[in-house]
Amino acid sequence: MAAFKFRLDFMISLRRKKEEEAAVKLARRLASIRELERIIETMENNLAAMADEIRELGLLGRLTGPLLTLFSSHQERVRKEIKKNNELLTLSRRQEVIERQALNKAAVDRRIMEKVKENQKLAWKTKLEYDEQNVMEELAALAKAKKLRDSRDDDQEDTSH
């Protein structure tokens, strides 16, 4: 008896590969987002530390005009860099949504093919059981017919003697 063979197994493996690629892409995107968040947090902490340092120098009376200008221009550059990184973070989060949707679609496509395979296997099993039942019924009918024939032969032998 032949085993069940699904002719579209290559489709399942292809869709599984697409799903894995989408998962890798999403994982990279999430790592990129975490890195951007870490960079932004570090810059914000540096700004806060710099503001504390300026305050301390001001309290000590050691804050000069050129030093204040230098701190100000540095803070402005850091703020621009934070703004740029926040924009990148926003774009990355939008892309994350798209990549997550692609992963979900790939997973659904794979599951659909697996369900088709399961349904075909179930239909194959059902047909196999049906055919097996028919064979058993035929064997039973043949056995009954043989029994009847044998009993008729026995009756004829008894009446002929």
Side-chain angles (χ1 to χ4, degrees), residues 72-88:
S72 261
S73 74
H74 181 68
Q75 281 180 330
E76 186 178 324
R77 278 192 309 267
V78 171
R79 284 191 182 110
K80 283 181 184 176
E81 196 65 29
I82 289 173
K83 183 178 178 185
K84 184 179 112 185
N85 283 328
N86 275 325
E87 289 169 1
L88 280 174

PDB file of all heavy atoms in Angstrom, residues 72-88:
ATOM      1  N   SER A  72      27.088  75.685  24.845  1.00  0.00           N
ATOM      2  CA  SER A  72      25.841  75.925  24.114  1.00  0.00           C
ATOM      3  C   SER A  72      25.888  75.317  22.715  1.00  0.00           C
ATOM      4  O   SER A  72      24.934  74.655  22.288  1.00  0.00           O
ATOM      5  CB  SER A  72      25.608  77.417  23.956  1.00  0.00           C
ATOM      6  OG  SER A  72      24.736  77.895  24.894  1.00  0.00           O
ATOM      7  N   SER A  73      26.980  75.549  22.001  1.00  0.00           N
ATOM      8  CA  SER A  73      27.054  75.016  20.636  1.00  0.00           C
ATOM      9  C   SER A  73      27.108  73.481  20.666  1.00  0.00           C
ATOM     10  O   SER A  73      26.519  72.820  19.806  1.00  0.00           O
ATOM     11  CB  SER A  73      28.249  75.597  19.877  1.00  0.00           C
ATOM     12  OG  SER A  73      29.453  75.037  20.330  1.00  0.00           O
ATOM     13  N   HIS A  74      27.780  72.920  21.674  1.00  0.00           N
ATOM     14  CA  HIS A  74      27.830  71.462  21.791  1.00  0.00           C
ATOM     15  C   HIS A  74      26.437  70.902  22.100  1.00  0.00           C
ATOM     16  O   HIS A  74      26.018  69.896  21.512  1.00  0.00           O
ATOM     17  CB  HIS A  74      28.840  71.040  22.863  1.00  0.00           C
ATOM     18  CG  HIS A  74      28.943  69.559  23.011  1.00  0.00           C
ATOM     19  ND1 HIS A  74      29.466  68.762  22.031  1.00  0.00           N
ATOM     20  CD2 HIS A  74      28.555  68.716  24.007  1.00  0.00           C
ATOM     21  CE1 HIS A  74      29.408  67.499  22.420  1.00  0.00           C
ATOM     22  NE2 HIS A  74      28.867  67.449  23.621  1.00  0.00           N
ATOM     23  N   GLN A  75      25.734  71.565  23.011  1.00  0.00           N
ATOM     24  CA  GLN A  75      24.372  71.123  23.339  1.00  0.00           C
ATOM     25  C   GLN A  75      23.461  71.191  22.111  1.00  0.00           C
ATOM     26  O   GLN A  75      22.643  70.298  21.887  1.00  0.00           O
ATOM     27  CB  GLN A  75      23.779  71.986  24.461  1.00  0.00           C
ATOM     28  CG  GLN A  75      24.274  71.612  25.830  1.00  0.00           C
ATOM     29  CD  GLN A  75      23.658  72.498  26.908  1.00  0.00           C
ATOM     30  OE1 GLN A  75      23.329  73.659  26.665  1.00  0.00           O
ATOM     31  NE2 GLN A  75      23.529  71.951  28.105  1.00  0.00           N
ATOM     32  N   GLU A  76      23.623  72.238  21.317  1.00  0.00           N
ATOM     33  CA  GLU A  76      22.815  72.393  20.118  1.00  0.00           C
ATOM     34  C   GLU A  76      23.094  71.255  19.126  1.00  0.00           C
ATOM     35  O   GLU A  76      22.165  70.681  18.548  1.00  0.00           O
ATOM     36  CB  GLU A  76      23.107  73.750  19.451  1.00  0.00           C
ATOM     37  CG  GLU A  76      22.199  74.039  18.285  1.00  0.00           C
ATOM     38  CD  GLU A  76      22.484  75.407  17.691  1.00  0.00           C
ATOM     39  OE1 GLU A  76      22.807  76.342  18.444  1.00  0.00           O
ATOM     40  OE2 GLU A  76      22.367  75.522  16.456  1.00  0.00           O
ATOM     41  N   ARG A  77      24.373  70.911  18.951  1.00  0.00           N
ATOM     42  CA  ARG A  77      24.727  69.796  18.056  1.00  0.00           C
ATOM     43  C   ARG A  77      24.146  68.480  18.562  1.00  0.00           C
ATOM     44  O   ARG A  77      23.610  67.674  17.787  1.00  0.00           O
ATOM     45  CB  ARG A  77      26.250  69.682  17.925  1.00  0.00           C
ATOM     46  CG  ARG A  77      26.847  70.641  16.928  1.00  0.00           C
ATOM     47  CD  ARG A  77      28.288  70.292  16.618  1.00  0.00           C
ATOM     48  NE  ARG A  77      29.131  70.125  17.789  1.00  0.00           N
ATOM     49  CZ  ARG A  77      29.871  71.070  18.365  1.00  0.00           C
ATOM     50  NH1 ARG A  77      29.873  72.284  17.856  1.00  0.00           N
ATOM     51  NH2 ARG A  77      30.599  70.811  19.421  1.00  0.00           N
ATOM     52  N   VAL A  78      24.230  68.261  19.880  1.00  0.00           N
ATOM     53  CA  VAL A  78      23.697  67.022  20.459  1.00  0.00           C
ATOM     54  C   VAL A  78      22.187  66.975  20.304  1.00  0.00           C
ATOM     55  O   VAL A  78      21.617  65.926  19.961  1.00  0.00           O
ATOM     56  CB  VAL A  78      24.119  66.889  21.942  1.00  0.00           C
ATOM     57  CG1 VAL A  78      23.396  65.738  22.614  1.00  0.00           C
ATOM     58  CG2 VAL A  78      25.629  66.693  22.055  1.00  0.00           C
ATOM     59  N   ARG A  79      21.513  68.101  20.516  1.00  0.00           N
ATOM     60  CA  ARG A  79      20.055  68.137  20.350  1.00  0.00           C
ATOM     61  C   ARG A  79      19.650  67.842  18.900  1.00  0.00           C
ATOM     62  O   ARG A  79      18.672  67.135  18.648  1.00  0.00           O
ATOM     63  CB  ARG A  79      19.497  69.482  20.802  1.00  0.00           C
ATOM     64  CG  ARG A  79      19.434  69.616  22.302  1.00  0.00           C
ATOM     65  CD  ARG A  79      18.651  70.836  22.752  1.00  0.00           C
ATOM     66  NE  ARG A  79      18.675  70.911  24.196  1.00  0.00           N
ATOM     67  CZ  ARG A  79      19.350  71.829  24.890  1.00  0.00           C
ATOM     68  NH1 ARG A  79      20.036  72.767  24.269  1.00  0.00           N
ATOM     69  NH2 ARG A  79      19.326  71.815  26.207  1.00  0.00           N
ATOM     70  N   LYS A  80      20.400  68.394  17.931  1.00  0.00           N
ATOM     71  CA  LYS A  80      20.128  68.107  16.522  1.00  0.00           C
ATOM     72  C   LYS A  80      20.331  66.615  16.238  1.00  0.00           C
ATOM     73  O   LYS A  80      19.555  66.009  15.507  1.00  0.00           O
ATOM     74  CB  LYS A  80      21.043  68.940  15.617  1.00  0.00           C
ATOM     75  CG  LYS A  80      20.622  70.371  15.473  1.00  0.00           C
ATOM     76  CD  LYS A  80      21.552  71.127  14.542  1.00  0.00           C
ATOM     77  CE  LYS A  80      21.177  72.592  14.481  1.00  0.00           C
ATOM     78  NZ  LYS A  80      22.131  73.363  13.653  1.00  0.00           N
ATOM     79  N   GLU A  81      21.368  66.052  16.819  1.00  0.00           N
ATOM     80  CA  GLU A  81      21.650  64.625  16.637  1.00  0.00           C
ATOM     81  C   GLU A  81      20.537  63.776  17.265  1.00  0.00           C
ATOM     82  O   GLU A  81      20.104  62.782  16.688  1.00  0.00           O
ATOM     83  CB  GLU A  81      23.004  64.284  17.259  1.00  0.00           C
ATOM     84  CG  GLU A  81      23.578  62.973  16.828  1.00  0.00           C
ATOM     85  CD  GLU A  81      23.921  62.905  15.346  1.00  0.00           C
ATOM     86  OE1 GLU A  81      24.248  63.933  14.729  1.00  0.00           O
ATOM     87  OE2 GLU A  81      23.840  61.785  14.810  1.00  0.00           O
ATOM     88  N   ILE A  82      20.056  64.203  18.440  1.00  0.00           N
ATOM     89  CA  ILE A  82      18.933  63.492  19.077  1.00  0.00           C
ATOM     90  C   ILE A  82      17.694  63.567  18.199  1.00  0.00           C
ATOM     91  O   ILE A  82      17.001  62.562  17.997  1.00  0.00           O
ATOM     92  CB  ILE A  82      18.654  64.061  20.492  1.00  0.00           C
ATOM     93  CG1 ILE A  82      19.773  63.663  21.457  1.00  0.00           C
ATOM     94  CG2 ILE A  82      17.302  63.580  21.009  1.00  0.00           C
ATOM     95  CD1 ILE A  82      19.667  64.315  22.829  1.00  0.00           C
ATOM     96  N   LYS A  83      17.431  64.758  17.646  1.00  0.00           N
ATOM     97  CA  LYS A  83      16.268  64.936  16.781  1.00  0.00           C
ATOM     98  C   LYS A  83      16.380  64.041  15.550  1.00  0.00           C
ATOM     99  O   LYS A  83      15.414  63.368  15.159  1.00  0.00           O
ATOM    100  CB  LYS A  83      16.142  66.404  16.365  1.00  0.00           C
ATOM    101  CG  LYS A  83      14.920  66.681  15.523  1.00  0.00           C
ATOM    102  CD  LYS A  83      14.821  68.157  15.174  1.00  0.00           C
ATOM    103  CE  LYS A  83      13.600  68.374  14.293  1.00  0.00           C
ATOM    104  NZ  LYS A  83      13.484  69.730  13.821  1.00  0.00           N
ATOM    105  N   LYS A  84      17.557  64.007  14.952  1.00  0.00           N
ATOM    106  CA  LYS A  84      17.778  63.167  13.772  1.00  0.00           C
ATOM    107  C   LYS A  84      17.571  61.686  14.123  1.00  0.00           C
ATOM    108  O   LYS A  84      16.918  60.946  13.386  1.00  0.00           O
ATOM    109  CB  LYS A  84      19.205  63.391  13.245  1.00  0.00           C
ATOM    110  CG  LYS A  84      19.518  62.637  11.975  1.00  0.00           C
ATOM    111  CD  LYS A  84      20.928  62.931  11.520  1.00  0.00           C
ATOM    112  CE  LYS A  84      21.698  61.646  11.687  1.00  0.00           C
ATOM    113  NZ  LYS A  84      23.094  61.733  11.425  1.00  0.00           N
ATOM    114  N   ASN A  85      18.110  61.271  15.263  1.00  0.00           N
ATOM    115  CA  ASN A  85      17.943  59.873  15.688  1.00  0.00           C
ATOM    116  C   ASN A  85      16.487  59.554  16.027  1.00  0.00           C
ATOM    117  O   ASN A  85      16.023  58.430  15.782  1.00  0.00           O
ATOM    118  CB  ASN A  85      18.858  59.546  16.861  1.00  0.00           C
ATOM    119  CG  ASN A  85      20.293  59.343  16.419  1.00  0.00           C
ATOM    120  OD1 ASN A  85      20.552  58.870  15.322  1.00  0.00           O
ATOM    121  ND2 ASN A  85      21.238  59.706  17.269  1.00  0.00           N
ATOM    122  N   ASN A  86      15.761  60.517  16.587  1.00  0.00           N
ATOM    123  CA  ASN A  86      14.328  60.310  16.860  1.00  0.00           C
ATOM    124  C   ASN A  86      13.540  60.133  15.560  1.00  0.00           C
ATOM    125  O   ASN A  86      12.618  59.322  15.491  1.00  0.00           O
ATOM    126  CB  ASN A  86      13.751  61.460  17.681  1.00  0.00           C
ATOM    127  CG  ASN A  86      13.967  61.264  19.166  1.00  0.00           C
ATOM    128  OD1 ASN A  86      13.938  60.147  19.658  1.00  0.00           O
ATOM    129  ND2 ASN A  86      14.188  62.359  19.875  1.00  0.00           N
ATOM    130  N   GLU A  87      13.904  60.902  14.535  1.00  0.00           N
ATOM    131  CA  GLU A  87      13.252  60.750  13.238  1.00  0.00           C
ATOM    132  C   GLU A  87      13.555  59.369  12.649  1.00  0.00           C
ATOM    133  O   GLU A  87      12.668  58.705  12.111  1.00  0.00           O
ATOM    134  CB  GLU A  87      13.696  61.862  12.277  1.00  0.00           C
ATOM    135  CG  GLU A  87      13.146  63.223  12.638  1.00  0.00           C
ATOM    136  CD  GLU A  87      13.791  64.365  11.853  1.00  0.00           C
ATOM    137  OE1 GLU A  87      14.677  64.100  11.000  1.00  0.00           O
ATOM    138  OE2 GLU A  87      13.406  65.516  12.096  1.00  0.00           O
ATOM    139  N   LEU A  88      14.819  58.951  12.756  1.00  0.00           N
ATOM    140  CA  LEU A  88      15.195  57.612  12.294  1.00  0.00           C
ATOM    141  C   LEU A  88      14.428  56.537  13.066  1.00  0.00           C
ATOM    142  O   LEU A  88      13.988  55.539  12.489  1.00  0.00           O
ATOM    143  CB  LEU A  88      16.699  57.387  12.469  1.00  0.00           C
ATOM    144  CG  LEU A  88      17.613  57.971  11.415  1.00  0.00           C
ATOM    145  CD1 LEU A  88      19.078  57.792  11.814  1.00  0.00           C
ATOM    146  CD2 LEU A  88      17.362  57.324  10.069  1.00  0.00           C
TER     147      LEU A  88
END
